Amino acid sequence: MKLSFSRYKKNVEYVTGFVVSYYMLFLFLSIFYSLKIDKDYSTIVLSRNNSLLHAFLTPDDKWRMYTELEEITPELKKAIVFKEDKFFYYHTGINPVSVVRAAINNFRKGKRTSGASTITMQVARLLEPKERTYINKLKEVFRATQLEMFFSKDEILQLYLNLVPYGSNIEGVKSASVIYFGKMPDHLSIGEIAALSIIPNRPASLKLGNNNDYIVRERNKWLTRYRKAELFESKYIDDALIEPLTASRREIPRLAPHLCYRLKTQFPNEKIIRTTLNLEFQYKTEQIVKEYSQRHYFQNIKNATAIIIDNPTREVLAYIGSADFKNDEDGGQVDGIRAVRSPGSTLKPLLYGIAIDRGAITPKTVITDVPVSFSGYEPENYNEKFNGNITIENALASSLNVPAVKILAAISSQTMISRLVEANFHTIKQQKDDLGLSLVLGGCGVTLEELTSLYCALANQGVYGSFKYTIDQDKKVTKLVLSKESAFIITEILTQLKRPDLPVHWDNTMHTPKIAWKTGTSYGRRDAWSIGYNKNFTIGVWVGNFSGEGVPELSGAEKATPLLFQLFNSIDYNSPKDWYTIPDELEMRYVCSQSGKVPGEFCTDLIIDYYLPGISSNETCTHLKNVFINPDSTLSYCTSCRPEVGFITALYPNLVPEIITYFEENNIHYLKVPSHNPECERLLSGSKPEITSPIHENEYYVNVSDSMEIMLSCHTANDVEQVFWYINKKFYKAVRTGKNIFFTPAEGRVEISCSDDKGRNTDIIIYVKHTSF
């Protein structure tokens, strides 16, 4: 008995030693022959509800889509394990019973008639494909052991389902499911699962789409086995047996190609990219933009882009980089959402918002829209007309250029540039040292993505935040680009319907959503913009040609805005009329209708205006002034020359010189202060002449062969009738107020003086060079 026990103990020690030695050797070999499971997978791009938008081939031109664990349904797991390896969950990578059975069968038949490969061993072979020899089979056993040691059973099954071949360049159950059935693996029926389970063993003879009838017969054999093994309930087997097989090789979806290529470039190693795109919105928008572009194609307007944003989350819901991605002739592969273009007037809302926050203006502030020169830069309105006095809200609603440039000059270009840089306008950041007053009229480079993000900030009460393109994208830090008070005011102005850029018949339906919007047209009519928003969505639209070719009919109002409203009607039709409420810190007050300022003693026509307490200007209105005149209104007096009797006091408009010049040049009647008493010897105070041409300290090149001349012009006060021009301290000419004259200057430094009939004087210097060409 003692001998028997001793022998048993020794046997145990031998076995234990063998097992320990085996695993020590195994671990040693694993260090030098580590298991590599890295495989290149097809990058797939999904919508927010996990619908397939796009997919990309692997570097070796395979469709190898990554199947996630949660996509492996219990039905799929049961079917595959039942067919391929019934004892998968019980062995450690090698099934000894199967090995012995296969060895006996192969020995009896004298050839290989059956295999003993488990799912784990098949994974090892799929990871490292080799010729089938006994030596390589031992290597598979080694790799299978490694897999079992380092991975769970479900992870090994997942690897198998990702790598199993389905013929041609299709690998993995997900690829087969998408390509042959047009659905994800977690949506497969039992009949479809059974069909896919039999393909890997005979991918050459069982080709889905080519011999479906034969595949159905083979599938049904396995369904019968499922029933016998009670793998699924009989009623499900009955349904699967009569289910027709409609499988055929399908085209991979190609929705949102521009965004998908962008994300593929940004995340080259990601197997699955989950976007924020709304599949329904994306499909609708692609169709609308394509059809809209086709309608305008023969007007030589060949492209359009659009982007739709969910305002509360800033998630991108639709992304249309061009009207037709497949149109090579017109640059369909260009991503117009990221293309740098001139913004036209689309930056004006930000400018006005900044000016409101600085207390420089309110909606009813009156500004002059007249010809003006800023060191030689002379902006004009889109229609080449001027409006005289106009309120800020009407100037913005009508998108007038001259008032916008005047406001930018008042707050400085760098102030606005800094705000745009904060809002991640990348090209403007690069150009910031070279930008000037033309910035607000489109003299810079922006993208539709950047502009739409700016208007999304308006929709979010002035708070800027980067767009979210993927579900797992980190939340970006937000920045305040405008106060919620100025954002509200700008929104109210941009919601007005009495404006030139309202599409014809747009407001003919009570169900159309209420939106705020702004248009823009670049110089040369190369770019047409329209960006709009409400509480739900912000939509940005660009229409034009990627080639940069201008079209006479192209404008933001005529070509971009109809598309914008069509998109809003498509995604937000008959939406609740929920709108922005007035911020608590924004108050209202009465102002003078003639100036928009706090009413003065002569103000009788008052209107209500928004203002920011403690920030908006409290300057009192002085649009009228008292003037001493003689009874027949032919002379005016100052306090020095006013007679003791024989005069009256009358009210006259207190006009700025530039509006007087505008009235004079356009023969617009206005109440003019009578000529001052000629016997008065006092030098009057007041506004001295403002020389508008030429520009102080500018250099001028004069072609002497063409008798080129330089214009002399100025703005004067209301009480001036005549001005006197001097060249190099010598009298040149006397002219009526508002009349321009010309002179041919000598070369070199030239002094120019202008004096009015009240004795007020302005001097400037210019530098002249003569040329002969």
Side-chain angles (χ1 to χ4, degrees), residues 460-700:
N460 282 285
Q461 298 184 310
V463 178
Y464 167 84
S466 298
F467 291 157
K468 188 175 181 181
Y469 289 98
T470 60
I471 294 295
D472 56 356
Q473 184 176 332
D474 293 335
K475 190 173 181 180
K476 299 293 184 181
V477 177
T478 57
K479 303 173 186 175
L480 190 69
V481 293
L482 291 176
S483 70
K484 60 183 177 181
E485 293 78 27
S486 64
F488 175 83
I489 291 172
I490 297 302
T491 298
E492 288 296 285
I493 295 172
L494 297 183
T495 310
Q496 294 181 12
L497 298 180
K498 294 182 179 179
R499 47 196 280 191
D501 57 352
L502 177 69
V504 178
H505 305 310
W506 169 75
D507 55 347
N508 61 356
T509 169
M510 60 181 291
H511 300 293
T512 302
K514 180 179 181 180
I515 70 167
W517 84 98
K518 181 71 183 74
T519 64
T521 307
S522 68
Y523 178 77
R525 294 179 178 260
R526 295 182 176 89
D527 308 277
W529 307 86
S530 194
I531 302 99
Y533 61 92
N534 58 17
K535 291 195 76 171
N536 299 325
F537 307 107
T538 297
I539 301 179
V541 165
W542 173 90
V543 177
N545 294 307
F546 288 149
S547 64
E549 180 181 359
V551 180
E553 296 80 15
L554 189 65
S555 73
E558 295 170 5
K559 299 304 177 186
T561 303
L563 176 56
L564 174 75
F565 279 78
Q566 190 177 347
L567 291 174
F568 262 109
N569 278 334
S570 171
I571 68 168
D572 206 27
Y573 186 72
N574 202 21
S575 63
K577 301 298 181 181
D578 187 24
W579 198 246
Y580 300 93
T581 56
I582 301 176
D584 294 337
E585 293 78 7
L586 185 62
E587 297 185 9
M588 291 183 282
R589 67 184 178 186
Y590 282 103
V591 295
C592 177
S593 64
Q594 299 301 308
S595 65
K597 298 178 181 179
V598 176
E601 59 178 319
F602 304 127
C603 300
T604 57
D605 185 14
L606 305 183
I607 56 176
I608 295 177
D609 189 18
Y610 289 117
Y611 80 107
L612 278 65
I615 296 176
S616 298
S617 172
N618 288 317
E619 184 180 351
T620 303
C621 175
T622 57
H623 80 281
L624 293 176
K625 61 181 179 180
N626 269 322
V627 179
F628 303 123
I629 60 174
N630 61 3
D632 58 2
S633 303
T634 57
L635 289 177
S636 62
Y637 304 106
C638 65
T639 53
S640 296
C641 66
R642 182 186 64 189
E644 293 184 3
V645 294
F647 71 91
I648 59 176
T649 302
L651 286 174
Y652 283 86
N654 190 16
L655 303 175
V656 295
E658 61 186 29
I659 198 71
I660 295 171
T661 302
Y662 172 73
F663 288 159
E664 292 285 347
E665 290 178 347
N666 292 275
N667 298 316
I668 298 174
H669 174 74
Y670 67 100
L671 188 59
K672 189 172 184 179
V673 176
S675 300
H676 194 69
N677 178 15
E679 297 180 1
C680 180
E681 297 180 355
R682 179 187 176 191
L683 181 65
L684 296 178
S685 61
S687 300
K688 61 184 179 180
E690 178 189 345
I691 299 175
T692 57
S693 177
I695 306 303
H696 181 50
E697 291 190 342
N698 271 21
E699 192 173 53
Y700 290 82

Side-chain angles (χ1 to χ4, degrees), residues 745-763:
E747 191 168 23
R749 184 175 184 272
V750 178
E751 296 181 21
I752 300 173
S753 299
C754 181
S755 300
D756 62 22
D757 54 15
K758 303 299 180 290
R760 297 170 294 212
N761 180 76
T762 299
D763 300 319

Side-chain angles (χ1 to χ4, degrees), residues 48-115:
R48 65 190 304 114
N49 66 345
N50 289 325
S51 296
L52 183 63
L53 295 172
H54 209 97
F56 298 88
L57 287 164
T58 62
D60 56 348
D61 291 330
K62 300 285 188 182
W63 288 117
R64 190 185 297 120
M65 301 181 190
Y66 185 76
T67 304
E68 297 180 284
L69 282 172
E70 55 266 28
E71 292 180 297
I72 304 173
T73 62
E75 293 78 12
L76 178 59
K77 184 186 296 187
K78 286 180 182 179
I80 295 297
V81 170
F82 180 80
K83 182 181 181 303
E84 293 295 330
D85 187 359
K86 293 184 180 66
F87 300 100
F88 173 65
Y89 285 98
Y90 304 100
H91 61 65
T92 58
I94 302 96
N95 186 341
V97 176
S98 298
V99 171
V100 172
R101 186 191 69 242
I104 293 172
N105 289 338
N106 293 342
F107 178 77
R108 286 176 178 175
K109 301 288 180 69
K111 60 179 181 179
R112 186 180 182 276
T113 60
S114 64

Side-chain angles (χ1 to χ4, degrees), residues 22-23 26 30 33 35 37 85 88 91-95 116-128 136-153 156 159:
Y22 172 80
Y23 277 102
F26 171 78
S30 293
Y33 300 98
L35 179 65
I37 64 166
D85 187 359
F88 173 65
H91 61 65
T92 58
I94 302 96
N95 186 341
S117 293
T118 62
I119 287 178
T120 312
M121 293 174 69
Q122 290 183 63
V123 170
R125 185 165 60 249
L126 291 169
L127 287 170
E128 298 178 0
N136 288 336
K137 180 63 71 173
L138 290 175
K139 292 180 181 178
E140 280 181 23
V141 171
F142 173 70
R143 292 302 189 195
T145 307
Q146 285 183 306
L147 285 166
E148 291 285 343
M149 179 167 287
F150 297 121
F151 295 93
S152 69
K153 286 291 187 180
I156 294 170
L159 279 169

Side-chain angles (χ1 to χ4, degrees), residues 16-282:
T16 304
F18 173 78
V19 171
V20 171
S21 300
Y22 172 80
Y23 277 102
M24 290 295 291
L25 177 63
F26 171 78
L27 291 173
F28 177 78
L29 291 174
S30 293
I31 294 173
F32 293 96
Y33 300 98
S34 59
L35 179 65
K36 296 179 181 178
I37 64 166
D38 292 335
K39 275 281 187 181
D40 290 321
Y41 286 93
S42 299
T43 296
I44 63 172
V45 186
L46 306 178
S47 69
R48 65 190 304 114
N49 66 345
N50 289 325
S51 296
L52 183 63
L53 295 172
H54 209 97
F56 298 88
L57 287 164
T58 62
D60 56 348
D61 291 330
K62 300 285 188 182
W63 288 117
R64 190 185 297 120
M65 301 181 190
Y66 185 76
T67 304
E68 297 180 284
L69 282 172
E70 55 266 28
E71 292 180 297
I72 304 173
T73 62
E75 293 78 12
L76 178 59
K77 184 186 296 187
K78 286 180 182 179
I80 295 297
V81 170
F82 180 80
K83 182 181 181 303
E84 293 295 330
D85 187 359
K86 293 184 180 66
F87 300 100
F88 173 65
Y89 285 98
Y90 304 100
H91 61 65
T92 58
I94 302 96
N95 186 341
V97 176
S98 298
V99 171
V100 172
R101 186 191 69 242
I104 293 172
N105 289 338
N106 293 342
F107 178 77
R108 286 176 178 175
K109 301 288 180 69
K111 60 179 181 179
R112 186 180 182 276
T113 60
S114 64
S117 293
T118 62
I119 287 178
T120 312
M121 293 174 69
Q122 290 183 63
V123 170
R125 185 165 60 249
L126 291 169
L127 287 170
E128 298 178 0
K130 291 181 174 65
E131 184 182 353
R132 293 196 175 188
T133 65
Y134 289 108
I135 295 297
N136 288 336
K137 180 63 71 173
L138 290 175
K139 292 180 181 178
E140 280 181 23
V141 171
F142 173 70
R143 292 302 189 195
T145 307
Q146 285 183 306
L147 285 166
E148 291 285 343
M149 179 167 287
F150 297 121
F151 295 93
S152 69
K153 286 291 187 180
D154 284 346
E155 289 172 333
I156 294 170
L157 180 62
Q158 179 188 22
L159 279 169
Y160 173 79
L161 293 174
N162 280 329
L163 302 175
V164 63
Y166 280 92
S168 186
N169 65 337
I170 302 171
E171 294 183 5
V173 70
K174 189 176 207 171
S175 301
S177 177
V178 167
I179 292 173
Y180 289 122
F181 294 106
K183 59 180 72 173
M184 292 297 183
D186 53 352
H187 288 75
L188 291 170
S189 68
I190 290 177
E192 291 165 339
I193 289 172
L196 287 179
S197 69
I198 65 175
I199 304 298
N201 296 119
R202 292 181 286 168
S205 60
L206 298 178
K207 290 185 177 179
L208 285 166
N210 290 347
N211 47 1
N212 283 0
D213 291 340
Y214 177 56
I215 294 174
V216 166
R217 291 194 296 271
E218 295 298 309
R219 175 200 72 180
N220 289 349
K221 290 178 183 178
W222 278 97
L223 287 171
T224 304
R225 293 171 186 171
Y226 293 167
R227 187 201 301 274
K228 187 176 180 181
E230 298 183 350
L231 204 64
F232 306 109
E233 292 183 39
S234 287
K235 61 180 180 179
Y236 298 132
I237 299 294
D238 292 338
D239 291 339
L241 285 168
I242 62 174
E243 180 182 334
L245 184 61
T246 59
S248 62
R249 181 149 186 165
R250 307 160 191 258
E251 288 292 325
I252 297 291
R254 289 287 185 267
L255 289 170
H258 297 90
L259 177 61
C260 292
Y261 275 99
R262 173 179 178 173
L263 294 176
K264 169 66 174 172
T265 303
Q266 186 176 352
F267 307 107
N269 299 318
E270 287 291 324
K271 304 178 186 73
I272 301 174
I273 300 174
R274 289 182 168 82
T275 72
T276 59
L277 292 190
N278 180 307
L279 186 61
E280 180 186 358
F281 284 12
Q282 180 67 27

